[in-house]
Amino acid sequence: ARKQRLRPRYLAVAGALLLAVGVISLMGIITAEALYPGDYGTGQNEISDLGATRPPDSVILEPSATLFNTVMIVSGALVLIASFCLRRASGRTAASIFTGLFGLGALGVGVFPGDYGTVHAIFALLTFVAGGLAAIAAFGVSTSPFKYFSVVLGATALVTLLVYTLVGEDSFLGSL
């Protein structure tokens, strides 16, 4: 009986952590964009440029770099904790694994900014793919109408990533 009482608590903690990550990430990215000392724009820059641009001529602009990288590290760590709570609460493997991979990707983006080249690119791709898959897998642990919104948003993220990959950087999507 005690185990059953703990499950809703784990689900509530997972939900609260994921909500906090959404707010922290959104506000952190907006603030890093506002404090970016150069000419930053979502149409011509990658979001990771806020942490550091790609090699060979990497540019790190403060205070945006420290803010962005810290936000990614904190967000990734909180998502990993939420993933653990989600697994304890629901017993659903897919949702917790994809959520954990999403958290690992975000953490890696912060630890290895854009100037780390390929390592950063792998973590960024993991973040985008696992995030979309986690949103789709959340169908099994969410309630209506949120489970439907989650599937639509996850599918939209994956289709957008696919189109971006097929069309290239000069597409209507801008830079990732």
Side-chain angles (χ1 to χ4, degrees):
R2 177 164 165 70
K3 186 175 181 181
Q4 291 300 326
R5 283 185 289 164
L6 291 178
R7 288 180 162 224
R9 286 188 199 159
Y10 280 110
L11 192 57
V13 170
L17 287 171
L18 293 172
L19 177 64
V21 166
V23 172
I24 291 167
S25 297
L26 179 66
M27 297 309 296
I29 290 168
I30 289 170
T31 305
E33 288 175 356
L35 296 175
Y36 195 79
D39 185 24
Y40 180 88
T42 56
Q44 71 262 11
N45 292 91
E46 296 177 358
I47 193 168
S48 293
D49 288 353
L50 293 169
T53 62
R54 288 192 239 175
D57 299 318
S58 297
V59 176
I60 300 170
L61 297 175
E62 296 294 352
S64 294
T66 299
L67 178 60
F68 177 79
N69 295 330
T70 301
V71 164
M72 291 298 103
I73 291 168
V74 169
S75 294
L78 292 176
V79 171
L80 286 169
I81 296 167
S83 162
F84 168 79
C85 292
L86 190 60
R87 175 72 174 137
R88 293 289 305 231
S90 70
R92 301 284 180 136
T93 304
S96 59
I97 287 175
F98 289 131
T99 301
L101 289 172
F102 170 63
L104 179 64
L107 180 70
V109 163
V111 172
F112 303 103
D115 57 333
Y116 279 80
T118 303
V119 174
H120 173 80
I122 291 168
F123 279 110
L125 184 61
L126 178 62
T127 303
F128 288 118
V129 172
L133 292 173
I136 292 169
F139 182 87
V141 295
S142 299
T143 58
S144 292
F146 303 109
K147 64 184 181 179
Y148 301 109
F149 292 139
S150 186
V151 169
V152 169
L153 292 172
T156 300
L158 292 173
V159 168
T160 301
L161 181 62
L162 179 65
V163 169
Y164 172 80
T165 302
L166 295 176
V167 174
E169 289 188 29
D170 296 329
S171 71
F172 65 95
L173 298 171
S175 297
L176 289 178

mmCIF file of all heavy atoms in Angstrom, residues 4-23:
data_model
loop_
_atom_site.group_PDB
_atom_site.id
_atom_site.type_symbol
_atom_site.label_atom_id
_atom_site.label_comp_id
_atom_site.label_asym_id
_atom_site.label_seq_id
_atom_site.Cartn_x
_atom_site.Cartn_y
_atom_site.Cartn_z
ATOM 1 N N GLN A 4 2.116 2.260 -3.505
ATOM 2 C CA GLN A 4 1.101 2.903 -4.336
ATOM 3 C C GLN A 4 0.935 4.382 -3.979
ATOM 4 O O GLN A 4 0.686 5.190 -4.842
ATOM 5 C CB GLN A 4 -0.254 2.177 -4.202
ATOM 6 C CG GLN A 4 -0.253 0.794 -4.831
ATOM 7 C CD GLN A 4 0.053 0.839 -6.318
ATOM 8 O OE1 GLN A 4 -0.318 1.770 -7.020
ATOM 9 N NE2 GLN A 4 0.752 -0.174 -6.805
ATOM 10 N N ARG A 5 1.051 4.726 -2.703
ATOM 11 C CA ARG A 5 0.923 6.127 -2.298
ATOM 12 C C ARG A 5 2.093 6.966 -2.788
ATOM 13 O O ARG A 5 1.954 8.154 -3.009
ATOM 14 C CB ARG A 5 0.794 6.238 -0.786
ATOM 15 C CG ARG A 5 -0.599 5.881 -0.270
ATOM 16 C CD ARG A 5 -0.690 6.113 1.189
ATOM 17 N NE ARG A 5 0.116 5.061 1.823
ATOM 18 C CZ ARG A 5 0.543 5.077 3.066
ATOM 19 N NH1 ARG A 5 0.256 6.067 3.848
ATOM 20 N NH2 ARG A 5 1.255 4.100 3.557
ATOM 21 N N LEU A 6 3.263 6.362 -2.942
ATOM 22 C CA LEU A 6 4.434 7.104 -3.388
ATOM 23 C C LEU A 6 4.404 7.392 -4.882
ATOM 24 O O LEU A 6 4.947 8.381 -5.323
ATOM 25 C CB LEU A 6 5.710 6.334 -3.045
ATOM 26 C CG LEU A 6 6.050 6.222 -1.567
ATOM 27 C CD1 LEU A 6 7.315 5.395 -1.379
ATOM 28 C CD2 LEU A 6 6.239 7.597 -0.952
ATOM 29 N N ARG A 7 3.761 6.559 -5.669
ATOM 30 C CA ARG A 7 3.767 6.736 -7.117
ATOM 31 C C ARG A 7 3.233 8.098 -7.559
ATOM 32 O O ARG A 7 3.859 8.741 -8.383
ATOM 33 C CB ARG A 7 3.012 5.607 -7.802
ATOM 34 C CG ARG A 7 3.777 4.329 -7.752
ATOM 35 C CD ARG A 7 3.064 3.204 -8.428
ATOM 36 N NE ARG A 7 4.046 2.185 -8.696
ATOM 37 C CZ ARG A 7 4.144 1.533 -9.824
ATOM 38 N NH1 ARG A 7 3.298 1.778 -10.788
ATOM 39 N NH2 ARG A 7 5.068 0.639 -9.995
ATOM 40 N N PRO A 8 2.094 8.563 -7.059
ATOM 41 C CA PRO A 8 1.637 9.897 -7.481
ATOM 42 C C PRO A 8 2.610 11.006 -7.079
ATOM 43 O O PRO A 8 2.731 12.000 -7.783
ATOM 44 C CB PRO A 8 0.282 10.064 -6.777
ATOM 45 C CG PRO A 8 -0.171 8.676 -6.509
ATOM 46 C CD PRO A 8 1.075 7.887 -6.260
ATOM 47 N N ARG A 9 3.306 10.815 -5.972
ATOM 48 C CA ARG A 9 4.302 11.814 -5.564
ATOM 49 C C ARG A 9 5.429 11.883 -6.587
ATOM 50 O O ARG A 9 5.878 12.972 -6.943
ATOM 51 C CB ARG A 9 4.879 11.476 -4.190
ATOM 52 C CG ARG A 9 3.938 11.757 -3.060
ATOM 53 C CD ARG A 9 4.653 11.593 -1.758
ATOM 54 N NE ARG A 9 3.693 11.413 -0.697
ATOM 55 C CZ ARG A 9 3.951 10.862 0.458
ATOM 56 N NH1 ARG A 9 5.156 10.419 0.716
ATOM 57 N NH2 ARG A 9 3.024 10.747 1.375
ATOM 58 N N TYR A 10 5.911 10.743 -7.024
ATOM 59 C CA TYR A 10 6.973 10.730 -8.035
ATOM 60 C C TYR A 10 6.510 11.384 -9.334
ATOM 61 O O TYR A 10 7.251 12.117 -9.968
ATOM 62 C CB TYR A 10 7.443 9.295 -8.331
ATOM 63 C CG TYR A 10 8.410 8.750 -7.317
ATOM 64 C CD1 TYR A 10 8.024 7.745 -6.440
ATOM 65 C CD2 TYR A 10 9.714 9.233 -7.248
ATOM 66 C CE1 TYR A 10 8.923 7.233 -5.509
ATOM 67 C CE2 TYR A 10 10.607 8.732 -6.319
ATOM 68 C CZ TYR A 10 10.207 7.730 -5.453
ATOM 69 O OH TYR A 10 11.099 7.240 -4.538
ATOM 70 N N LEU A 11 5.277 11.110 -9.722
ATOM 71 C CA LEU A 11 4.740 11.703 -10.943
ATOM 72 C C LEU A 11 4.621 13.220 -10.789
ATOM 73 O O LEU A 11 4.955 13.975 -11.695
ATOM 74 C CB LEU A 11 3.383 11.094 -11.296
ATOM 75 C CG LEU A 11 2.842 11.422 -12.678
ATOM 76 C CD1 LEU A 11 3.816 11.004 -13.763
ATOM 77 C CD2 LEU A 11 1.501 10.734 -12.883
ATOM 78 N N ALA A 12 4.181 13.666 -9.615
ATOM 79 C CA ALA A 12 4.068 15.102 -9.354
ATOM 80 C C ALA A 12 5.445 15.763 -9.367
ATOM 81 O O ALA A 12 5.615 16.864 -9.913
ATOM 82 C CB ALA A 12 3.374 15.351 -8.012
ATOM 83 N N VAL A 13 6.439 15.113 -8.793
ATOM 84 C CA VAL A 13 7.793 15.663 -8.789
ATOM 85 C C VAL A 13 8.333 15.723 -10.215
ATOM 86 O O VAL A 13 8.922 16.737 -10.626
ATOM 87 C CB VAL A 13 8.732 14.837 -7.872
ATOM 88 C CG1 VAL A 13 10.186 15.243 -8.061
ATOM 89 C CG2 VAL A 13 8.324 14.996 -6.414
ATOM 90 N N ALA A 14 8.132 14.656 -10.984
ATOM 91 C CA ALA A 14 8.590 14.651 -12.388
ATOM 92 C C ALA A 14 7.936 15.787 -13.162
ATOM 93 O O ALA A 14 8.610 16.532 -13.885
ATOM 94 C CB ALA A 14 8.282 13.309 -13.044
ATOM 95 N N GLY A 15 6.642 15.948 -13.010
ATOM 96 C CA GLY A 15 5.930 17.019 -13.705
ATOM 97 C C GLY A 15 6.411 18.397 -13.285
ATOM 98 O O GLY A 15 6.607 19.280 -14.128
ATOM 99 N N ALA A 16 6.619 18.580 -11.987
ATOM 100 C CA ALA A 16 7.089 19.878 -11.495
ATOM 101 C C ALA A 16 8.498 20.179 -12.017
ATOM 102 O O ALA A 16 8.789 21.313 -12.418
ATOM 103 C CB ALA A 16 7.076 19.903 -9.965
ATOM 104 N N LEU A 17 9.357 19.172 -12.041
ATOM 105 C CA LEU A 17 10.718 19.374 -12.543
ATOM 106 C C LEU A 17 10.702 19.712 -14.034
ATOM 107 O O LEU A 17 11.423 20.617 -14.475
ATOM 108 C CB LEU A 17 11.571 18.129 -12.305
ATOM 109 C CG LEU A 17 11.999 17.884 -10.860
ATOM 110 C CD1 LEU A 17 12.651 16.509 -10.726
ATOM 111 C CD2 LEU A 17 12.946 18.975 -10.384
ATOM 112 N N LEU A 18 9.878 19.022 -14.808
ATOM 113 C CA LEU A 18 9.814 19.297 -16.242
ATOM 114 C C LEU A 18 9.212 20.667 -16.527
ATOM 115 O O LEU A 18 9.656 21.360 -17.449
ATOM 116 C CB LEU A 18 9.042 18.185 -16.962
ATOM 117 C CG LEU A 18 9.748 16.827 -16.959
ATOM 118 C CD1 LEU A 18 8.849 15.742 -17.520
ATOM 119 C CD2 LEU A 18 11.073 16.891 -17.718
ATOM 120 N N LEU A 19 8.251 21.073 -15.735
ATOM 121 C CA LEU A 19 7.712 22.427 -15.870
ATOM 122 C C LEU A 19 8.793 23.457 -15.544
ATOM 123 O O LEU A 19 8.967 24.444 -16.267
ATOM 124 C CB LEU A 19 6.496 22.619 -14.956
ATOM 125 C CG LEU A 19 5.896 24.022 -14.952
ATOM 126 C CD1 LEU A 19 5.343 24.382 -16.330
ATOM 127 C CD2 LEU A 19 4.802 24.119 -13.894
ATOM 128 N N ALA A 20 9.531 23.214 -14.474
ATOM 129 C CA ALA A 20 10.619 24.125 -14.096
ATOM 130 C C ALA A 20 11.668 24.200 -15.204
ATOM 131 O O ALA A 20 12.164 25.289 -15.527
ATOM 132 C CB ALA A 20 11.265 23.674 -12.787
ATOM 133 N N VAL A 21 11.993 23.064 -15.820
ATOM 134 C CA VAL A 21 12.962 23.051 -16.915
ATOM 135 C C VAL A 21 12.465 23.897 -18.081
ATOM 136 O O VAL A 21 13.234 24.645 -18.690
ATOM 137 C CB VAL A 21 13.266 21.606 -17.371
ATOM 138 C CG1 VAL A 21 13.989 21.583 -18.707
ATOM 139 C CG2 VAL A 21 14.076 20.881 -16.310
ATOM 140 N N GLY A 22 11.188 23.789 -18.387
ATOM 141 C CA GLY A 22 10.629 24.603 -19.468
ATOM 142 C C GLY A 22 10.791 26.086 -19.192
ATOM 143 O O GLY A 22 11.219 26.851 -20.065
ATOM 144 N N VAL A 23 10.472 26.489 -17.987
ATOM 145 C CA VAL A 23 10.575 27.905 -17.618
ATOM 146 C C VAL A 23 12.038 28.351 -17.581
ATOM 147 O O VAL A 23 12.404 29.399 -18.135
ATOM 148 C CB VAL A 23 9.895 28.168 -16.250
ATOM 149 C CG1 VAL A 23 10.171 29.577 -15.758
ATOM 150 C CG2 VAL A 23 8.395 27.912 -16.354
#
